[in-house]
Amino acid sequence: MSEIKTIGVLTSGGDAPGMNAAIRAVARTAAYHGITCLGIRRGYNGLINGDVVELNARSVNGIISKGGTMLFTARCPEFMTPEGIKKGADTCKYLGIDGIVTIGGDGTFRGARDLAASGVHTIGVPATIDNDISSTEYSIGFDTACNTALDAIDKLRDTMQSHERCSVVEVMGHNAGHLALHVAIACGAQAVLVPEKPFDFQRDVVEKIRAGRINKRSHFIIIQAEGVGNSVDITNRIIEETGIDTRLTILGHIQRGGSPTARDRVMASRFGEYAVHTLMAGKTNRVVCARDNDICDIDINEALEMKKDLPENMYMTSKIMSI
Ligand code: F6P
């Protein structure tokens, strides 16, 4: 283990439930080893401006159950320029920061890669409700977002059933359909539209609703990933082509809030602890990954080049369950 005296931790990009639990894990692991931990506020902006707050074991009391991030988060265009990266590296030098844990998604990891190239040791911790980071099977926040969406859709189902309506529900996920697919299986949707799978609107939506009606199905739930396109158009097409009374619900940022589930708290705690130990081992430009029920770390460049597919078997599950 190398002699690390001070580390930084920041959250960047879209927030995710469990980020606070990860901050707590980093601060507590650092405290356990006698390392000073600085919380860098507002993502890479805070690194550029030296906006930091010292975190000890007690200053992260009570945050494990809180959504959002106590360090605030931001997307920082300046950190995409050589000048911004240099300012960030200079701040680290000035504050004596030996290594930084960056919590977020691929954009956050690109910042960590650039900072590592300037000589600051970095490690990324995956956190996004989209679960679209290719190098890891799991990202902090995904389970909570699934459950938040599910809770809302269960409520929607009650009123859709009473009125014998169709409900189109747009869920987040950026350009990926992981959240939509999980939610669709868990809520028993009749169709799921995701960017990774080309769909035939007539066959996959209209015919399903027609067949469902013939089979005495009273109401329908269609889950649409935001990456698929305009959910207003899809809703209108359903009304035009089936005649069924249809309502659109866009769940939006509600999915990013709320108290993290046990799974997110545990994963965040494990990821955060692992990240500090990786820095202590003298590694840099790494990202923490969940794989085969274990945790490992890989090179950030390698991680950023990977592709993540939607699991084919899960897509099939959603199809079979929707008859
Ligand atoms: O990446 C997380 C995410 O919530 C995506 O699902 C969504 O497309 C995007 O962020 C929304 O970003 P913003 O908070 O800037 O509206």
Side-chain angles (χ1 to χ4, degrees):
M1 297 255 168
S2 71
E3 238 337 282
I4 280 207
K5 291 197 175 64
T6 304
I7 61 166
V9 56
L10 61 81
T11 49
S12 149
D15 64 353
M19 277 184 162
N20 274 326
I23 294 166
R24 171 181 177 271
V26 171
R28 292 247 166 113
T29 308
Y32 182 85
H33 293 289
I35 295 170
T36 300
C37 181
L38 300 178
I40 299 157
R41 307 201 312 164
R42 303 181 175 86
Y44 290 106
N45 287 315
L47 199 58
I48 287 173
N49 304 320
D51 183 5
V52 302
V53 54
E54 187 162 341
L55 300 177
N56 59 39
R58 293 287 71 77
S59 51
V60 291
N61 275 1
I63 65 169
I64 194 167
S65 59
K66 302 265 186 283
T69 159
M70 68 168 286
L71 293 176
F72 305 100
T73 184
R75 298 188 172 98
C76 178
E78 194 182 352
F79 208 73
M80 292 173 188
T81 66
E83 296 75 28
I85 296 160
K86 184 174 179 320
K87 281 186 199 166
D90 286 348
T91 304
C92 291
K93 236 180 253 161
Y94 180 73
L95 294 172
I97 296 175
D98 303 307
I100 295 198
V101 180
T102 66
I103 304 168
D106 280 341
T108 306
F109 299 160
R110 274 189 281 276
R113 172 201 60 195
D114 296 341
L115 200 57
S118 302
V120 180
H121 282 205
T122 61
I123 175 128
V125 167
T128 164
I129 66 160
D130 304 337
N131 205 24
D132 61 347
I133 301 172
S134 309
S135 54
T136 182
E137 287 164 10
Y138 191 75
S139 298
I140 298 166
F142 181 66
D143 188 57
T144 308
C146 283
N147 281 292
T148 302
L150 201 55
D151 181 54
I153 295 164
D154 285 347
K155 292 184 171 103
L156 272 173
R157 184 183 283 287
D158 292 345
T159 169
M160 292 300 138
Q161 184 267 330
S162 310
H163 288 262
E164 299 180 90
R165 281 173 170 161
C166 173
S167 184
V168 175
V169 184
E170 183 189 303
V171 303
M172 276 189 167
H174 195 46
N175 293 321
H178 301 281
L179 188 58
L181 183 55
H182 269 74
V183 166
I185 292 173
C187 80
Q190 278 60 66
V192 56
L193 309 178
V194 288
E196 294 89 341
K197 289 268 167 205
F199 58 89
D200 177 330
F201 191 77
Q202 278 301 324
R203 183 195 61 202
D204 298 329
V205 180
V206 176
E207 284 311 320
K208 280 202 123 170
I209 292 175
R210 286 204 183 119
R213 276 173 146 181
I214 291 165
N215 285 324
K216 307 269 180 284
R217 192 180 268 288
S218 66
H219 62 286
F220 301 86
I221 309 260
I222 312 293
I223 303 295
Q224 188 206 318
E226 65 174 341
V228 161
N230 192 326
S231 47
V232 175
D233 289 348
I234 284 178
T235 306
N236 288 338
R237 270 183 84 182
I238 293 175
I239 297 170
E240 278 159 27
E241 297 192 34
T242 68
I244 190 167
D245 197 9
T246 304
R247 295 289 186 273
L248 168 64
T249 304
I250 299 175
L251 295 181
H253 290 81
I254 293 223
Q255 295 159 102
R256 288 230 303 253
S259 181
T261 58
R263 183 170 192 206
D264 277 323
R265 296 182 200 193
V266 172
M267 289 307 285
S269 300
R270 294 182 69 201
F271 281 171
E273 178 208 341
Y274 189 100
V276 176
H277 286 152
T278 305
L279 286 177
M280 288 174 70
K283 294 191 191 179
T284 182
N285 200 40
R286 308 292 291 177
V287 58
V288 179
C289 311
R291 288 187 185 177
D292 301 328
N293 269 333
D294 206 356
I295 298 180
C296 62
D297 57 283
I298 67 164
D299 183 81
I300 292 187
N301 301 302
E302 198 188 313
L304 290 173
E305 273 167 23
M306 294 168 81
K307 295 263 168 298
K308 188 175 196 172
D309 290 330
L310 212 55
E312 191 59 43
N313 52 357
M314 283 192 64
Y315 191 69
M316 190 47 82
T317 304
S318 81
K319 246 188 164 159
I320 294 173
M321 293 302 119
S322 69
I323 57 167

